[in-house]
Amino acid sequence: MKKAKITVVGSYNTDITLNVPHLPLNGQTVFGTSMQFNPGGKGSNQAVAAHRAGADVVFIAKVGCDGMEKTGFELYEKIGLPTDNIIRDESVNTGVAAIEVDKETAQNRIVVIPGANMSLSADDIRQREDLIASSDILLLQLETSRESIIEAVKIAKKHGVKIVLNPAPFSDVVFDIIKDVDIITPNETEADLIAPGHDGNFQWAASDMIGMGCRNIIVTVGKQGSYYKGEKGEFVVPVIDLKPVDTTGAGDAYNGAFCTALAEGKSMKEAMQFASAYSSLSVTRPGAASSMPTREEVEELMKENV
Ligand code: RIB
């Protein structure tokens, strides 16, 4: 099997995870049960997922030197993810995210202070043009500076590298790049923000995104699975129904695994099935990056369920 080569341009955050019996209402104070510092950030989570799923990963990111970045580096060292392209900048703080996780439903609420992620510059990306150019896929989210995202897209396009965009969290930069993206992977909420006015009907939103110039749309729809519309037709891939503990990073797990399988030469549907199984398993464990399963664990699960 061909080894996938994925470049992720994206964010790193240290997640301050607060476990609560239920998410507080507006103005309500609740007692939590525990707190952890976890490695997070959508870019980092996706890079870790792709690496654990079997890809060679280049992760281009920026962190501060305030100590908050250590949680991430400890994980990268433990799992063997190369850190050569994680830029340390003393003048900025590492990104952080405050995450409340509901013990009953495993749902979460997240506030991100992006810090260093917004200092990732076009020049930082230009200096790494050869790394992007030699990748099978460039995987992007919208949690770093606008200029870093636009430059990465420009370089990938110049070299004919496939671009997968996870438009999370939603930002209007998506409208600048959607026509250059090969595959866009919003969740339901993001689909509605990119193509509003369909009353939550993500099939119609996907048709609108095709009208905006993107050729392949995958909408991840939680327990309903993932919906594809584009060059390969239209279909739904179900999730594997496992009991979730913490859904933080579920979309990141999906994106990292999906790109890995696609770059290995799997079909769109096969790559989505792998991603779906990967993501289903990730939510059975606490944390974001630290919950990403290995390839072997996912293949074992797929033997019994797909
Ligand atoms: O997608 C989950 C991630 O969103 C968390 O790890 C948090 O850091 C925010 O970026």
Coordinates of all heavy atoms in Angstrom, one line a residue, residues 98-177:
A98 N -10.9 26.7 26.1 CA -11.6 26.3 27.3 C -12.7 25.4 26.8 O -13.6 25.8 26.0 CB -12.1 27.5 28.0
I99 N -12.8 24.2 27.2 CA -13.8 23.2 26.7 C -14.6 22.6 27.9 O -14.0 22.1 28.8 CB -13.1 22.1 26.0 CG1 -12.2 22.6 24.9 CG2 -14.1 21.1 25.4 CD1 -11.5 21.6 24.0
E100 N -15.9 22.8 27.8 CA -16.7 22.1 28.8 C -17.3 20.8 28.2 O -17.8 20.9 27.0 CB -17.9 23.0 29.2 CG -17.5 24.3 29.9 CD -18.5 25.4 29.7 OE1 -19.6 25.2 29.2 OE2 -18.2 26.5 30.2
V101 N -17.1 19.7 28.8 CA -17.6 18.4 28.3 C -18.7 17.9 29.2 O -18.5 17.7 30.4 CB -16.5 17.4 28.2 CG1 -17.1 16.1 27.6 CG2 -15.4 17.9 27.3
D102 N -19.9 17.7 28.6 CA -21.1 17.2 29.4 C -20.9 15.7 29.6 O -20.9 14.9 28.7 CB -22.3 17.5 28.5 CG -23.6 17.2 29.2 OD1 -23.7 16.1 29.8 OD2 -24.5 18.0 29.1
K103 N -21.0 15.3 30.9 CA -20.7 13.9 31.2 C -21.9 13.0 30.7 O -21.6 11.9 30.3 CB -20.7 13.8 32.8 CG -20.2 12.5 33.3 CD -20.0 12.6 34.8 CE -19.5 11.4 35.5 NZ -19.9 10.1 35.0
E104 N -23.1 13.5 30.6 CA -24.2 12.7 30.2 C -24.2 12.5 28.7 O -24.3 11.4 28.2 CB -25.5 13.5 30.6 CG -26.0 13.2 32.0 CD -26.1 11.7 32.3 OE1 -26.8 11.0 31.6 OE2 -25.4 11.3 33.3
T105 N -24.1 13.6 27.9 CA -24.3 13.5 26.5 C -22.9 13.5 25.7 O -23.0 13.2 24.5 CB -25.0 14.8 26.0 OG1 -24.1 15.9 26.2 CG2 -26.3 15.0 26.7
A106 N -21.8 13.7 26.4 CA -20.5 13.8 25.7 C -20.3 15.0 24.7 O -19.4 15.1 24.0 CB -20.1 12.5 25.0
Q107 N -21.3 15.9 24.7 CA -21.3 17.1 23.9 C -20.4 18.1 24.6 O -20.1 18.0 25.8 CB -22.7 17.7 23.6 CG -23.6 16.7 22.9 CD -23.1 16.4 21.5 OE1 -22.6 17.2 20.8 NE2 -23.1 15.1 21.2
N108 N -19.9 19.1 23.8 CA -19.0 20.1 24.4 C -19.4 21.5 23.9 O -20.2 21.7 23.0 CB -17.6 19.8 24.0 CG -17.4 19.8 22.5 OD1 -17.7 20.8 21.8 ND2 -17.0 18.7 21.9
R109 N -18.7 22.4 24.6 CA -18.8 23.9 24.2 C -17.4 24.4 24.3 O -16.7 24.1 25.3 CB -19.7 24.6 25.3 CG -20.8 25.3 24.6 CD -21.9 25.8 25.4 NE -21.6 26.1 26.8 CZ -22.5 26.4 27.7 NH1 -23.8 26.4 27.3 NH2 -22.2 26.7 28.9
I110 N -16.9 25.1 23.3 CA -15.5 25.5 23.2 C -15.4 27.0 23.0 O -16.0 27.6 22.1 CB -14.8 24.7 22.0 CG1 -15.0 23.2 22.1 CG2 -13.4 25.1 22.0 CD1 -14.4 22.4 21.0
V111 N -14.4 27.6 23.8 CA -14.0 29.0 23.5 C -12.5 28.9 23.2 O -11.7 28.4 24.0 CB -14.2 29.9 24.7 CG1 -13.7 31.3 24.4 CG2 -15.7 30.0 25.0
V112 N -12.1 29.5 22.0 CA -10.7 29.5 21.7 C -10.1 30.9 21.8 O -10.7 31.8 21.3 CB -10.5 28.9 20.2 CG1 -9.1 29.1 19.7 CG2 -10.9 27.5 20.1
I113 N -8.9 31.0 22.4 CA -8.1 32.2 22.3 C -6.9 31.8 21.4 O -6.0 31.1 21.8 CB -7.5 32.6 23.7 CG1 -8.7 32.6 24.8 CG2 -6.8 33.9 23.7 CD1 -9.6 33.8 24.7
P114 N -7.0 32.3 20.2 CA -6.1 31.7 19.1 C -4.6 32.0 19.3 O -3.7 31.2 18.8 CB -6.6 32.2 17.8 CG -7.4 33.4 18.2 CD -7.9 33.2 19.6
G115 N -4.3 33.2 19.9 CA -2.8 33.5 20.2 C -2.0 33.3 19.0 O -2.2 33.8 17.9
A116 N -0.9 32.5 19.1 CA 0.1 32.3 18.1 C -0.4 31.8 16.8 O 0.2 32.1 15.7 CB 1.1 31.3 18.6
N117 N -1.6 31.1 16.8 CA -2.1 30.6 15.5 C -2.4 31.8 14.5 O -2.3 31.6 13.3 CB -3.4 29.9 15.8 CG -3.2 28.7 16.7 OD1 -2.4 27.8 16.3 ND2 -3.9 28.6 17.8
M118 N -2.7 32.9 15.1 CA -3.0 34.0 14.2 C -1.7 34.8 13.7 O -1.8 35.7 12.9 CB -4.0 35.0 14.9 CG -5.4 34.5 15.0 SD -6.1 34.1 13.4 CE -7.4 32.9 13.9
S119 N -0.6 34.4 14.3 CA 0.7 34.9 13.8 C 1.4 34.1 12.8 O 2.5 34.4 12.3 CB 1.6 35.1 15.0 OG 1.1 36.0 15.9
L120 N 0.8 33.0 12.4 CA 1.3 32.1 11.3 C 1.2 33.0 10.1 O 0.1 33.3 9.7 CB 0.6 30.8 11.2 CG 1.2 29.8 10.3 CD1 2.5 29.3 10.8 CD2 0.2 28.6 10.2
S121 N 2.4 33.3 9.4 CA 2.3 34.3 8.4 C 2.4 33.6 7.0 O 2.8 32.4 6.9 CB 3.5 35.3 8.5 OG 4.7 34.6 8.3
A122 N 2.1 34.4 6.0 CA 2.3 33.9 4.6 C 3.7 33.5 4.3 O 4.0 32.6 3.6 CB 1.8 35.0 3.6
D123 N 4.6 34.3 4.9 CA 6.1 34.0 4.7 C 6.5 32.7 5.4 O 7.2 31.9 4.8 CB 6.9 35.2 5.3 CG 8.3 35.2 4.7 OD1 8.4 35.0 3.5 OD2 9.2 35.3 5.5
D124 N 5.9 32.4 6.6 CA 6.1 31.1 7.2 C 5.7 30.0 6.2 O 6.4 28.9 6.2 CB 5.3 30.9 8.5 CG 5.7 31.9 9.6 OD1 6.9 32.2 9.7 OD2 4.8 32.3 10.4
I125 N 4.7 30.2 5.5 CA 4.2 29.1 4.6 C 5.0 29.1 3.4 O 5.4 28.0 2.9 CB 2.7 29.4 4.2 CG1 1.8 29.6 5.5 CG2 2.1 28.3 3.3 CD1 1.8 28.4 6.4
R126 N 5.4 30.3 2.8 CA 6.2 30.3 1.6 C 7.5 29.6 1.8 O 8.0 28.9 1.0 CB 6.5 31.8 1.2 CG 5.5 32.3 0.3 CD 5.9 33.6 -0.4 NE 6.1 34.7 0.6 CZ 5.0 35.5 1.0 NH1 3.8 35.3 0.5 NH2 5.2 36.4 1.9
Q127 N 8.1 29.7 3.1 CA 9.4 29.1 3.4 C 9.3 27.6 3.3 O 10.3 26.8 3.3 CB 9.9 29.5 4.7 CG 10.4 30.9 4.8 CD 10.7 31.4 6.2 OE1 10.9 30.6 7.1 NE2 10.7 32.7 6.4
R128 N 8.1 27.1 3.3 CA 7.8 25.6 3.3 C 7.1 25.1 2.1 O 6.5 24.1 2.1 CB 7.0 25.2 4.6 CG 7.9 25.5 5.9 CD 7.1 25.5 7.1 NE 8.1 25.7 8.3 CZ 8.6 26.9 8.6 NH1 8.3 28.0 8.0 NH2 9.5 26.9 9.6
E129 N 7.3 25.9 1.0 CA 6.6 25.6 -0.3 C 7.0 24.1 -0.7 O 6.1 23.4 -1.2 CB 7.1 26.6 -1.3 CG 6.5 26.3 -2.7 CD 6.6 27.4 -3.7 OE1 6.9 28.5 -3.3 OE2 6.2 27.2 -4.9
D130 N 8.2 23.7 -0.6 CA 8.6 22.4 -1.1 C 8.0 21.3 -0.4 O 7.7 20.2 -0.9 CB 10.2 22.3 -1.1 CG 10.7 22.6 0.3 OD1 10.1 23.3 1.1 OD2 11.8 22.0 0.7
L131 N 7.7 21.5 0.9 CA 7.0 20.5 1.7 C 5.5 20.3 1.2 O 5.1 19.2 1.1 CB 7.0 20.8 3.2 CG 8.4 20.9 3.8 CD1 8.3 21.5 5.2 CD2 9.0 19.5 3.9
I132 N 4.9 21.4 1.0 CA 3.5 21.3 0.4 C 3.5 20.7 -1.0 O 2.7 19.8 -1.3 CB 2.9 22.7 0.4 CG1 2.7 23.3 1.8 CG2 1.5 22.7 -0.3 CD1 2.2 24.7 1.9
A133 N 4.5 21.2 -1.8 CA 4.6 20.7 -3.2 C 4.8 19.2 -3.3 O 4.3 18.6 -4.2 CB 5.7 21.4 -3.9
S134 N 5.4 18.6 -2.3 CA 5.7 17.2 -2.4 C 4.7 16.3 -1.6 O 4.9 15.1 -1.4 CB 7.1 16.9 -1.9 OG 7.2 17.3 -0.5
S135 N 3.6 16.9 -1.3 CA 2.5 16.2 -0.5 C 1.5 15.6 -1.5 O 1.3 16.2 -2.6 CB 1.8 17.1 0.5 OG 2.8 17.7 1.3
D136 N 0.8 14.6 -1.0 CA -0.4 14.1 -1.8 C -1.6 15.1 -1.5 O -2.4 15.3 -2.4 CB -0.8 12.7 -1.3 CG 0.3 11.7 -1.5 OD1 0.9 11.7 -2.6 OD2 0.6 10.9 -0.6
I137 N -1.7 15.5 -0.3 CA -2.9 16.3 0.1 C -2.4 17.4 1.1 O -1.6 17.2 2.0 CB -3.9 15.5 0.8 CG1 -4.6 14.5 -0.2 CG2 -5.0 16.3 1.5 CD1 -5.6 13.5 0.4
L138 N -2.9 18.6 0.9 CA -2.8 19.7 1.8 C -4.2 19.7 2.6 O -5.2 19.9 2.0 CB -2.6 21.1 1.1 CG -2.8 22.3 2.0 CD1 -1.6 22.4 3.0 CD2 -2.9 23.6 1.2
L139 N -4.1 19.6 3.9 CA -5.3 19.6 4.8 C -5.3 20.9 5.6 O -4.3 21.2 6.3 CB -5.3 18.4 5.7 CG -6.4 18.3 6.7 CD1 -7.8 18.4 6.1 CD2 -6.2 17.0 7.5
L140 N -6.4 21.7 5.5 CA -6.5 23.0 6.1 C -7.8 23.1 6.9 O -8.8 22.4 6.6 CB -6.7 24.1 5.0 CG -5.5 24.4 4.1 CD1 -6.0 25.2 3.0 CD2 -4.4 25.1 5.0
Q141 N -7.7 23.9 8.0 CA -8.9 24.3 8.7 C -8.9 25.8 8.7 O -8.1 26.4 8.0 CB -8.9 23.8 10.2 CG -8.3 22.4 10.4 CD -6.8 22.4 10.2 OE1 -6.1 23.4 10.6 NE2 -6.3 21.4 9.5
L142 N -9.7 26.5 9.5 CA -9.8 27.9 9.5 C -9.4 28.5 10.9 O -10.0 29.5 11.3 CB -11.2 28.4 9.1 CG -11.6 27.9 7.7 CD1 -13.0 28.4 7.3 CD2 -10.6 28.4 6.6
E143 N -8.5 27.9 11.6 CA -8.2 28.3 12.9 C -6.8 29.1 13.0 O -6.3 29.3 14.0 CB -8.2 27.1 13.9 CG -8.7 27.5 15.2 CD -8.9 26.2 16.1 OE1 -8.1 25.3 16.0 OE2 -9.9 26.2 16.9
T144 N -6.2 29.3 11.8 CA -5.0 30.1 11.7 C -5.3 31.4 10.9 O -6.4 31.6 10.5 CB -3.8 29.4 11.1 OG1 -4.2 29.0 9.8 CG2 -3.5 28.1 11.9
S145 N -4.2 32.3 10.8 CA -4.4 33.6 10.1 C -5.0 33.4 8.7 O -4.6 32.4 8.0 CB -3.1 34.3 10.1 OG -2.3 33.7 9.2
R146 N -5.7 34.4 8.3 CA -6.2 34.4 6.9 C -5.1 34.2 5.9 O -5.2 33.5 4.9 CB -7.0 35.7 6.7 CG -7.8 35.8 5.5 CD -8.5 37.2 5.5 NE -9.5 37.2 4.5 CZ -10.8 37.0 4.8 NH1 -11.2 36.9 6.1 NH2 -11.7 36.9 3.9
E147 N -4.0 35.0 6.1 CA -2.9 35.0 5.1 C -2.2 33.6 5.0 O -1.8 33.2 3.9 CB -1.9 36.1 5.4 CG -1.2 36.0 6.7 CD -0.1 37.1 6.9 OE1 -0.5 38.2 7.3 OE2 1.1 36.8 6.7
S148 N -2.2 32.9 6.1 CA -1.5 31.6 6.1 C -2.4 30.6 5.3 O -1.8 29.8 4.5 CB -1.3 31.0 7.5 OG -2.5 30.8 8.2
I149 N -3.7 30.7 5.4 CA -4.6 29.8 4.7 C -4.5 30.1 3.2 O -4.4 29.2 2.4 CB -6.0 30.0 5.3 CG1 -6.1 29.6 6.7 CG2 -7.0 29.2 4.4 CD1 -7.3 30.0 7.5
I150 N -4.6 31.4 2.9 CA -4.6 31.8 1.5 C -3.3 31.4 0.8 O -3.3 30.9 -0.4 CB -5.0 33.3 1.3 CG1 -6.5 33.5 1.7 CG2 -4.7 33.8 -0.1 CD1 -7.0 34.9 1.8
E151 N -2.2 31.6 1.5 CA -0.9 31.3 0.9 C -0.8 29.8 0.7 O -0.3 29.3 -0.4 CB 0.2 31.8 1.8 CG 1.6 31.8 1.2 CD 1.7 32.6 -0.1 OE1 1.0 33.7 -0.2 OE2 2.6 32.3 -0.9
A152 N -1.2 29.0 1.6 CA -1.1 27.5 1.5 C -1.9 27.1 0.3 O -1.5 26.2 -0.5 CB -1.6 26.9 2.8
V153 N -3.1 27.6 0.1 CA -3.9 27.2 -1.0 C -3.3 27.6 -2.3 O -3.2 26.8 -3.3 CB -5.3 27.9 -0.9 CG1 -6.1 27.8 -2.2 CG2 -6.1 27.3 0.3
K154 N -2.7 28.8 -2.3 CA -2.0 29.3 -3.6 C -0.9 28.3 -3.9 O -0.7 27.9 -5.1 CB -1.4 30.7 -3.3 CG -1.1 31.5 -4.5 CD -0.9 32.9 -4.1 CE 0.5 33.3 -4.5 NZ 0.9 34.6 -3.8
I155 N -0.1 27.9 -3.0 CA 1.1 27.0 -3.2 C 0.6 25.6 -3.7 O 1.1 25.1 -4.6 CB 2.0 26.9 -2.0 CG1 2.7 28.3 -1.8 CG2 3.0 25.8 -2.1 CD1 3.4 28.4 -0.4
A156 N -0.4 25.1 -3.0 CA -0.9 23.8 -3.3 C -1.4 23.8 -4.7 O -1.2 22.8 -5.5 CB -1.9 23.3 -2.3
K157 N -2.1 24.8 -5.1 CA -2.7 24.9 -6.4 C -1.7 25.0 -7.5 O -1.7 24.3 -8.5 CB -3.6 26.1 -6.4 CG -4.9 25.9 -7.2 CD -5.8 27.0 -7.4 CE -6.5 26.9 -8.7 NZ -6.9 28.1 -9.3
K158 N -0.6 25.8 -7.2 CA 0.5 26.0 -8.2 C 1.1 24.6 -8.5 O 1.5 24.4 -9.6 CB 1.5 26.9 -7.5 CG 2.8 27.1 -8.3 CD 3.6 28.2 -7.6 CE 5.1 28.0 -7.9 NZ 5.9 28.8 -7.0
H159 N 1.2 23.7 -7.5 CA 1.9 22.4 -7.6 C 0.9 21.3 -7.9 O 1.4 20.1 -7.9 CB 2.8 22.2 -6.4 CG 3.9 23.1 -6.3 ND1 5.0 23.1 -7.0 CD2 4.0 24.2 -5.5 CE1 5.8 24.1 -6.7 NE2 5.2 24.8 -5.7
G160 N -0.3 21.6 -8.1 CA -1.3 20.5 -8.4 C -1.5 19.6 -7.2 O -1.8 18.4 -7.4
V161 N -1.4 20.1 -6.0 CA -1.6 19.2 -4.8 C -3.1 19.3 -4.4 O -3.6 20.4 -4.4 CB -0.7 19.7 -3.6 CG1 -1.0 19.0 -2.3 CG2 0.8 19.5 -4.0
K162 N -3.7 18.2 -4.1 CA -5.1 18.1 -3.7 C -5.3 18.9 -2.4 O -4.5 18.8 -1.5 CB -5.5 16.7 -3.6 CG -7.0 16.5 -3.5 CD -7.3 15.0 -3.5 CE -7.5 14.5 -4.9 NZ -7.7 13.1 -5.1
I163 N -6.4 19.7 -2.4 CA -6.6 20.5 -1.2 C -7.9 20.0 -0.5 O -9.0 20.0 -1.2 CB -6.8 22.0 -1.5 CG1 -5.5 22.5 -2.2 CG2 -7.1 22.8 -0.3 CD1 -5.7 23.9 -2.8
V164 N -7.8 19.7 0.8 CA -9.0 19.3 1.5 C -9.2 20.4 2.6 O -8.3 20.7 3.4 CB -8.9 17.9 2.2 CG1 -10.1 17.6 3.1 CG2 -8.7 16.8 1.1
L165 N -10.4 21.0 2.6 CA -10.6 22.1 3.6 C -11.7 21.7 4.6 O -12.8 21.4 4.2 CB -11.1 23.4 2.8 CG -11.6 24.5 3.8 CD1 -10.5 25.1 4.6 CD2 -12.3 25.6 3.0
N166 N -11.4 21.7 5.8 CA -12.3 21.5 6.9 C -12.7 22.9 7.4 O -11.9 23.5 8.1 CB -11.7 20.6 8.0 CG -12.7 20.5 9.2 OD1 -12.2 20.7 10.3 ND2 -13.9 20.2 9.0
P167 N -13.8 23.5 7.0 CA -14.1 24.9 7.2 C -14.5 25.2 8.7 O -15.6 25.7 8.9 CB -15.2 25.2 6.2 CG -15.9 23.9 6.1 CD -14.9 22.8 6.3
A168 N -13.6 24.9 9.6 CA -13.9 25.0 11.0 C -12.8 25.7 11.8 O -11.7 25.4 11.5 CB -14.1 23.6 11.6
P169 N -13.2 26.7 12.7 CA -14.5 27.2 12.8 C -14.8 28.1 11.6 O -13.9 28.6 11.0 CB -14.4 28.1 14.1 CG -12.9 28.4 14.2 CD -12.2 27.3 13.5
F170 N -16.2 28.2 11.3 CA -16.6 29.0 10.1 C -15.9 30.4 10.2 O -15.9 31.0 11.2 CB -18.1 29.1 10.1 CG -18.5 30.1 9.0 CD1 -18.5 29.7 7.7 CD2 -18.8 31.4 9.3 CE1 -18.9 30.6 6.7 CE2 -19.2 32.3 8.4 CZ -19.2 31.9 7.0
S171 N -15.4 30.8 9.0 CA -15.0 32.2 8.8 C -15.2 32.5 7.4 O -15.2 31.6 6.5 CB -13.5 32.3 9.2 OG -12.8 33.0 8.3
D172 N -15.4 33.8 7.1 CA -15.7 34.2 5.7 C -14.5 34.0 4.7 O -14.6 34.1 3.5 CB -16.3 35.6 5.6 CG -15.3 36.7 6.0 OD1 -14.1 36.3 6.3 OD2 -15.7 37.8 6.2
V173 N -13.3 33.6 5.3 CA -12.2 33.3 4.4 C -12.6 32.1 3.4 O -12.0 32.0 2.3 CB -10.9 33.0 5.2 CG1 -11.0 31.7 5.9 CG2 -9.7 33.0 4.3
V174 N -13.5 31.3 3.9 CA -14.0 30.2 3.1 C -14.4 30.6 1.7 O -14.2 30.0 0.7 CB -15.1 29.4 3.8 CG1 -16.4 30.1 3.9 CG2 -15.3 28.0 3.2
F175 N -15.0 31.8 1.6 CA -15.5 32.3 0.3 C -14.4 32.7 -0.6 O -14.5 32.7 -1.8 CB -16.5 33.4 0.5 CG -17.7 33.0 1.4 CD1 -17.9 33.7 2.6 CD2 -18.5 32.0 1.0 CE1 -19.0 33.3 3.4 CE2 -19.6 31.6 1.8 CZ -19.8 32.2 3.0
D176 N -13.2 33.0 -0.1 CA -12.0 33.4 -0.9 C -11.4 32.1 -1.5 O -10.7 32.2 -2.5 CB -11.0 34.1 -0.1 CG -11.4 35.4 0.5 OD1 -12.4 35.9 -0.1 OD2 -10.8 35.9 1.5
I177 N -11.6 31.0 -0.9 CA -10.8 29.8 -1.4 C -11.7 28.6 -1.8 O -11.1 27.7 -2.4 CB -9.9 29.3 -0.2 CG1 -10.6 29.0 1.0 CG2 -8.8 30.4 0.1 CD1 -9.8 28.4 2.2

